[in-house]
């Protein structure tokens, strides 16, 4: 069994074991690569739980062994002998090597194999996302496959649809302040940074209705900046696009001054 298969199997098992225990039960993972994030968290949790247990047991042992009792005098120990410094450094290195270095290695591998390994080809679904205070705007390219053109499709605010089992690439740029596009059920999140177009991709394995959250405190109504993601069959998805097309061009939303944001809808930035 390769390291990849082992991690995948082990990660899904742990998730199943802990489901139902509210503080250990993450939102349902309905993505191809979400298990990688869960796995890094599980590894970190397991190792720090083990070390915490060891520290607590050691403290209990010393508390009992060196308790105050007649005939035993307290001694002040600076702990600066070579031996003490050596033990401290060794324990520090143990934590650093067995936690930091390992999860760094896992994370870089996940980035390379999955999250930064952008899908290419005809079947990639492209969506532009523009958050604003306090809502989500989505844009689909329409028949010509180009963004920022007449036939772009814009659903009502906070409504995003994607097909199941197809890779989805989103490009995110905010209208105003920093927001963060977060899909808890996919374990992915990307900041919407003013002046930048940020990209990420994901793929759903199940249909259903899921939540889109803003993961960056963006103002006084940040808490209610919620979007609705519908994952559906490719056929239903295409029908939905068709229905948007039939509705005709929607009125783009206006800001307080009645102006349509000019930065909305950009030329798709190809990922290398
Ligand atoms: Cu926000």
């Amino acid at each position: 069994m390769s390291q990849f298969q082992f991690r995948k199997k082990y990660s899904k098992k742990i998730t199943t074991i802990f489901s139902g225990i509210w503080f250990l039960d993450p939102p349902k993972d309905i993505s191809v690569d979400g298990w990688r994030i869960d796995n890094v968290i599980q590894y970190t949790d397991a190792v720090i739980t083990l070390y915490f247990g060891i520290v607590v047991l050691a403290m209990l042992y010393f508390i009992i062994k060196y308790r105050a009792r007649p005939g035993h005098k307290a001694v002040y120990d600076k702990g600066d002998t070579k031996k003490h410094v050596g033990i401290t450094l060794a324990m520090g290195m143990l934590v650093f090597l067995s936690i930091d270095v390992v999860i760094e290695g896992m994370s870089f591998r996940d980035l390379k194999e999955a999250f930064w390994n952008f899908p290419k080809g005809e079947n990639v679904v492209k969506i532009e996302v523009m958050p604003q205070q306090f809502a989500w705007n989505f844009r689909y390219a329409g028949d010509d496959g180009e963004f920022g053109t007449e036939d772009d499709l814009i659903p009502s605010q906070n409504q995003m649809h994607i097909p199941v089992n197809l890779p989805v690439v989103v490009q995110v740029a905010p209208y105003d302040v920093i927001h963060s596009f977060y899909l808890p059920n996919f374990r992915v999140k990307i900041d919407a940074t003013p002046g930048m177009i940020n990209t990420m991709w994901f793929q759903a394995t199940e249909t259903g209705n899921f939540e889109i959250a803003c993961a960056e405190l963006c103002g006084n109504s940040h808490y209610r900046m919620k979007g609705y993601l519908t994952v559906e069959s490719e056929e239903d998805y295409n029908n939905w696009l068709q229905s948007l097309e039939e509705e005709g061009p929607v009125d783009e939303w206006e800001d307080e001054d009645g102006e349509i944001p000019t930065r909305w809808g950009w030329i798709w930035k190809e990922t290398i």
Side-chain angles (χ1 to χ4, degrees), residues 1-255:
M1 198 192 289
S2 71
Q3 190 202 349
F4 176 87
Q5 286 166 324
F6 176 78
R7 277 185 61 198
K8 192 166 181 176
K9 193 178 162 198
Y10 152 86
S11 165
K12 299 232 158 157
K13 265 215 173 103
I14 306 249
T15 312
T16 319
I17 293 168
F18 286 138
S19 65
I21 306 174
W22 65 270
F23 62 95
L24 295 171
D25 195 9
K28 191 176 183 200
D29 172 29
I30 57 139
S31 68
V32 171
D33 289 304
W35 62 271
R36 294 170 182 273
I37 303 290
D38 290 349
N39 188 225
V40 171
I41 295 170
Q42 286 158 358
Y43 176 79
T44 314
D45 284 353
V47 181
I48 60 177
T49 304
L50 175 72
Y51 290 175
F52 178 73
I54 293 172
V55 168
V56 170
L57 286 178
M59 274 170 47
L60 278 175
Y61 171 75
F62 290 126
I63 285 170
I64 293 164
K65 187 173 181 200
Y66 297 108
R67 67 190 181 281
R69 54 193 193 277
H72 287 257
K73 208 166 157 271
V75 183
Y76 179 69
D77 188 342
K78 279 191 185 162
D80 60 352
T81 62
K82 265 203 182 127
K83 186 177 144 201
H84 288 136
V85 174
I87 291 172
T88 308
L89 281 178
M91 295 213 291
M93 280 310 282
L94 175 72
V95 171
F96 177 71
L97 294 175
S98 61
I99 301 181
D100 302 77
V101 172
V102 172
I103 61 175
E104 197 87 353
M106 288 162 112
S107 305
F108 273 108
R109 200 179 162 141
D110 291 341
L111 288 172
K112 203 174 133 216
E113 289 176 354
F115 303 107
W116 286 351
N117 184 17
F118 280 86
K120 302 251 160 20
E122 286 289 290
N123 63 353
V124 174
V125 177
K126 298 171 178 176
I127 304 169
E128 289 189 354
V129 183
M130 186 185 67
Q132 65 174 110
Q133 286 173 320
F134 299 95
W136 298 96
N137 300 282
F138 301 101
R139 181 183 282 257
Y140 296 75
D143 282 339
D144 65 358
E146 305 271 320
F147 283 91
T149 52
E150 285 284 294
D151 72 342
D152 283 5
L153 300 170
I154 301 170
S156 348
Q157 279 192 318
N158 300 322
Q159 301 299 325
M160 183 187 192
H161 284 228
I162 62 165
V164 70
N165 296 328
L166 282 181
V168 178
V169 179
V170 291
Q171 292 197 353
V172 186
Y175 171 58
D176 37 41
V177 301
I178 303 178
H179 302 271
S180 190
F181 180 71
Y182 177 33
L183 300 177
N185 301 90
F186 292 74
R187 314 288 195 259
V188 290
K189 181 193 287 177
I190 191 143
D191 277 0
T193 319
M196 290 175 77
I197 296 169
N198 295 335
T199 309
M200 76 172 180
W201 81 278
F202 47 87
Q203 185 170 331
T205 55
E206 272 178 47
T207 56
N209 297 305
F210 304 95
E211 187 183 354
I212 301 165
C214 180
E216 180 65 57
L217 183 55
C218 58
N220 61 4
S221 297
H222 162 70
Y223 71 93
R224 64 174 173 84
M225 190 164 162
K226 184 178 171 182
Y228 300 86
L229 173 69
T230 306
V231 185
E232 55 200 353
S233 69
E234 209 177 330
E235 196 190 338
D236 288 349
Y237 170 74
N238 286 327
N239 289 340
W240 177 75
L241 286 180
Q242 187 68 37
S243 70
L244 286 181
E245 211 171 312
E246 278 157 19
E247 278 168 27
V250 281
D251 293 333
E252 291 202 44
W253 59 273
E254 297 176 353
D255 65 14

